[in-house]
């Protein structure tokens, strides 16, 4: 009997935190994301993950007058996902084509460029903006598939 076994990790980890809106929120989000990546041994580039988390938290604070933002870090199915929740019903994130010398406006462009996927969705309390990073081993496998066949399963 041939049995196909996925080699992707199936263990799910989740960490939630509520951050007080203010100057220290983005730094705390960076610290927590880096700590989760290290604790869970997640094969993603931590510098990219903390940069993108910082961008989303900064946007939530800058464009939303709420007192707190909620950050949820999830690791499952071969991806790291970071969701940033705020209480804004009306503002939705839009990536703009800011000039290279602009001092602001390029955050979502970075998120779109560096993440595997990103987006936003409405929540009962407002909205959430998220990004996902595929595990680096998974990315390497999918790159190899085009030339060497599908290696996502082991016999």
């Amino acid at each position: 009997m041939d049995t196909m076994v996925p080699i992707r990790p199936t263990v799910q980890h989740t960490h939630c935190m509520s951050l007080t809106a203010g100057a220290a929120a983005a730094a705390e989000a960076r610290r927590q994301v880096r700590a989760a990546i290290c604790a869970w041994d997640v094969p993603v580039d931590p510098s990219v993950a903390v940069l993108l988390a910082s961008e989303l938290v900064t946007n939530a604070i800058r464009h939303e007058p709420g007192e707190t933002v909620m950050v949820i870090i999830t690791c499952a199915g071969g991806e790291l996902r970071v969701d940033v929740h705020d209480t804004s019903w009306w503002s939705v994130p839009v990536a703009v084509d800011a000039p290279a010398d602009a001092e602001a406006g390029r955050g979502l462009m970075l998120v779109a460029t560096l993440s595997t996927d990103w987006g936003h969705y409405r929540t009962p309390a407002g909205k959430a903006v998220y990004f996902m990073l595929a595990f680096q081993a998974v990315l390497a496998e999918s790159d190899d598939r085009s030339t060497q066949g599908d290696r996502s399963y082991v016999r």
Side-chain angles (χ1 to χ4, degrees):
M1 168 195 256
D2 284 339
T3 304
M4 304 293 270
V5 180
I7 60 172
R8 286 185 177 187
T10 57
V11 176
Q12 179 172 337
H13 299 283
T14 301
H15 177 64
C16 299
M17 69 193 107
S18 180
L19 303 174
T20 302
E28 181 60 17
R30 289 190 300 270
R31 190 183 72 71
Q32 293 283 336
V33 167
R34 187 176 300 279
I37 289 169
C38 291
W40 301 337
D41 195 24
V42 180
V44 298
D45 184 341
S47 61
V48 171
V50 299
L51 171 67
L52 301 185
S54 183
E55 289 295 337
L56 295 188
V57 169
T58 299
N59 283 351
I61 292 168
R62 179 175 292 146
H63 301 293
E64 166 53 33
E67 295 179 14
T68 62
V69 295
M70 176 70 69
V71 178
I72 301 172
I73 309 163
T74 307
C75 178
E79 293 180 316
L80 177 76
R81 178 175 170 136
V82 176
D83 294 61
V84 178
H85 294 252
D86 63 41
T87 57
S88 172
W89 286 86
W90 301 279
S91 67
V92 293
V94 178
V96 295
D97 191 17
D101 61 348
E103 291 186 20
R106 294 186 311 270
L108 288 177
M109 181 184 65
L110 284 172
V111 173
T113 302
L114 297 175
S115 67
T116 306
D117 190 20
W118 79 281
H120 70 279
Y121 56 94
R122 301 277 184 212
T123 67
K127 75 168 180 313
V129 183
Y130 68 91
F131 71 85
M132 297 173 9
L133 295 174
F135 290 176
Q136 290 173 344
V138 172
L139 284 175
E141 289 170 10
S142 64
D143 290 344
D144 288 345
R145 285 184 204 147
S146 62
T147 59
Q148 298 178 1
D150 185 355
R151 287 201 237 165
S152 61
Y153 292 91
V154 175
R155 288 190 189 248

